[in-house]
Amino acid sequence: MNLGSAARGFIALLLSVPALQLNGEWRVNYSSSNVCALRGAMVHLGCTYEYPDDVQYRSNTVRRLWFTKVSNEQPVDLEHDADYTGRVESGCGVVKCIGSRCHGTCTLSIRDLRQSDSAVYKFMSNTNQPGGEYPGDPGVKLSVQDLQVKVSFPHPTDPTHAELECHSRCGLADDPAYIWFRNGLYVGQGVNYRAYIQSADSFSCAVEGHNLRSPLVYGPQQTSVYSSPSGEIEEGSSVTLSCSSDANPAADYTWFKEHEVSVKESGQNYTITHITSDFGGNYYCQAHNAIGVHNSTFLFIKVSSSSHTAMVAVRTIGVFVFTILLLAFFCMRRKRASRRACGQGGRADTIEELLPVSVYENTSDLTNRLAPAAQREPIEEQDVFDCASNYTSLSENQEVPYCLAGSHAQSEQADAVFYSVVKNKRPNAVPGE
């Protein structure tokens, strides 16, 4: 058998289970109810149909088509389906009438098969008579498969000595000529290939002379790990570690903690509930399949105790309160200096702003203000009486002037009221003085 005939023998496997559709006097018979074909190959689907040899059918237009989809309750002709553009061909032979029955054949060819082409294909006849539609149920089920590389280890004690087999799930009747590639380079021919493998290797098989190649098989790579939630974990809560890796066949995962030999967990996810400080440290996952092994980088888990969290909260509140008090203290000093400057004939709006004073220089003053009344030191009133000694009597209806720059005229009435309030609210003397 030459290579061309061998290729035709494995491109599609037709299971000889006919499917027959009876619709009144119309009949459709498929050559197979199930077809398996390789991705990238070409497949041929066929059917025969028959109908009565009657004048009414001969005088009417008959339209024949293949379809997989229905739109607005109407079948979509594959030759007009965008998913099959340039890849399908259909045709029907000459109708022959024998006795009272007419017979015809139709075929559908699909090339460059894709995984998405796996579907049920039906043949349909349309006439221009009312209700003259005759879909051929149940149709043909097409399954598109890849070539597969199967990896095994004939010597369990030697995990580097592997045997690779190229096969198809379609169960092809003929043995085509398979070739092998290692890291993209041709390395041999045959159904099987034996090799000493390393984690960085990749393998694939193909059908010689045809664009039919298996997917690559390779060891894990780009292995990474992350946690949810991320960041610092509070003691008593839960955290889930997740691992991912690019590998074919799919990788299995094992979890480890730095400086510990024992396995912590198996599986793509590792969940720690009711976490304590003992769980803190570096974690990593190991991805492994038949080809190789690959470890992720470290993920550091930091566990904070509840007392530490409370201390941080108290510290934050204390800083906030102290800042508010400090701002209030500076504001009071500024107002006091402003009134004193106004009382000496200066402009209130041109008073030089006080420079910030060291916190430690004002600690006693601030402490005195916050102490209970009985423990406060006497408030110095020298400035108050100096200003009060300059007051003059004003009538109740006399307008009070504002403090003007370069002038000794002042709002004496307003200041008198202010200082009288201060004087009246003066703290009592400390007992014993």
Side-chain angles (χ1 to χ4, degrees):
M1 180 183 296
N2 58 34
L3 182 60
S5 61
R8 286 191 295 272
F10 71 82
I11 285 177
L13 175 65
L14 304 181
L15 304 182
S16 56
V17 180
L20 179 65
Q21 165 66 23
L22 299 178
N23 192 325
E25 297 177 328
W26 286 74
R27 297 179 181 179
V28 178
N29 186 21
Y30 296 97
S31 56
S32 176
S33 60
N34 291 277
V35 174
C36 183
L38 295 178
R39 182 176 61 88
M42 175 183 286
V43 68
H44 303 285
L45 308 180
C47 73
T48 60
Y49 64 95
E50 62 179 83
Y51 58 90
D53 183 9
D54 196 300
V55 175
Q56 63 173 333
Y57 294 117
R58 292 183 182 180
S59 61
N60 289 290
T61 302
V62 178
R63 178 182 174 227
R64 302 171 182 88
L65 59 93
W66 291 83
F67 70 98
T68 62
K69 306 171 187 174
V70 176
S71 177
N72 297 325
E73 301 183 353
Q74 294 297 319
V76 178
D77 190 344
L78 282 179
E79 292 190 338
H80 301 136
D81 190 330
D83 293 335
Y84 294 85
T85 300
R87 298 194 299 120
V88 299
E89 292 180 3
S90 63
C92 296
V94 178
V95 176
K96 298 179 180 181
C97 297
I98 302 175
S100 61
R101 306 290 293 178
C102 295
H103 302 265
T105 61
C106 287
T107 60
L108 172 68
S109 299
I110 310 173
R111 58 178 171 270
D112 190 20
L113 284 172
R114 306 168 182 173
Q115 292 285 354
S116 59
D117 293 338
S118 297
V120 175
Y121 293 79
K122 298 180 182 180
F123 173 78
M124 182 175 187
S125 296
N126 285 346
T127 70
N128 58 358
Q129 290 183 335
E133 296 181 352
Y134 305 97
D137 291 324
V140 181
K141 182 179 180 181
L142 173 64
S143 176
V144 180
Q145 300 288 341
D146 273 312
L147 285 174
Q148 301 291 324
V149 175
K150 181 180 179 182
V151 182
S152 61
F153 296 88
H155 306 289
T157 58
D158 185 3
T160 63
H161 184 199
E163 183 172 300
L164 287 70
E165 177 186 355
C166 190
H167 69 99
S168 170
R169 294 179 181 176
C170 291
L172 303 177
D174 296 316
D175 291 331
Y178 293 111
I179 56 177
W180 288 92
F181 297 88
R182 178 173 184 165
N183 301 327
L185 301 177
Y186 171 82
V187 290
Q189 185 177 12
V191 177
N192 299 102
Y193 174 69
R194 294 176 177 84
Y196 285 95
I197 62 175
Q198 299 177 351
S199 295
D201 287 336
S202 65
F203 300 89
S204 66
C205 65
V207 176
E208 188 174 11
H210 295 270
N211 186 28
L212 305 174
R213 179 177 290 197
S214 71
L216 285 174
V217 293
Y218 52 92
Q221 55 189 3
Q222 299 177 5
T223 306
S224 60
V225 61
Y226 61 93
S227 65
S228 179
S230 58
E232 191 170 343
I233 309 300
E234 185 176 350
E235 191 173 34
S237 60
S238 300
V239 63
T240 298
L241 310 183
S242 299
C243 190
S244 63
S245 182
D246 179 19
N248 186 32
D252 295 319
Y253 300 95
T254 305
W255 291 90
F256 296 90
K257 187 178 181 182
E258 187 183 19
H259 305 311
E260 292 186 12
V261 179
S262 61
V263 175
K264 306 304 293 183
E265 187 69 39
S266 295
Q268 189 167 8
N269 298 318
Y270 172 32
T271 300
I272 307 173
T273 58
H274 305 294
I275 196 169
T276 64
S277 58
D278 294 337
F279 286 91
N282 285 317
Y283 289 81
Y284 67 97
C285 70
Q286 183 181 88
H288 49 90
N289 65 3
I291 304 299
V293 177
H294 189 246
N295 293 341
S296 71
T297 56
F298 286 128
L299 175 66
F300 181 69
I301 298 298
K302 183 178 181 181
V303 182
S304 62
S305 63
S306 55
S307 59
H308 173 72
T309 303
M311 184 180 298
V312 171
V314 170
R315 212 176 271 174
T316 302
I317 295 174
V319 171
F320 176 75
V321 172
F322 178 76
T323 303
I324 296 299
L325 292 175
L326 192 61
L327 290 175
F329 173 72
F330 286 145
C331 184
M332 292 170 60
R333 284 179 58 93
R334 181 175 180 179
K335 288 182 179 180
R336 181 176 178 184
S338 177
R339 294 192 190 100
R340 183 180 302 173
C342 185
Q344 296 175 358
R347 284 176 58 94
D349 56 354
T350 60
I351 297 174
E352 183 178 354
E353 184 175 342
L354 293 176
L355 294 175
V357 182
S358 171
V359 175
Y360 298 103
E361 293 176 3
N362 298 281
T363 303
S364 59
D365 187 15
L366 181 59
T367 305
N368 186 49
R369 291 176 182 268
L370 298 178
Q375 299 177 6
R376 294 176 186 168
E377 297 179 4
I379 299 176
E380 185 178 347
E381 299 184 39
Q382 184 63 39
D383 293 338
V384 176
F385 291 114
D386 287 346
C387 287
S389 61
N390 295 325
Y391 293 162
T392 58
S393 300
L394 296 175
S395 65
E396 294 179 358
N397 297 327
Q398 183 177 353
E399 183 178 357
V400 180
Y402 287 96
C403 182
L404 302 177
S407 173
H408 294 289
Q410 305 170 5
S411 178
E412 290 132 347
Q413 183 176 2
D415 285 346
V417 173
F418 170 78
Y419 285 110
S420 64
V421 171
V422 173
K423 185 174 182 179
N424 290 336
K425 291 189 176 182
R426 180 186 177 190
N428 296 329
V430 178
E433 292 187 359

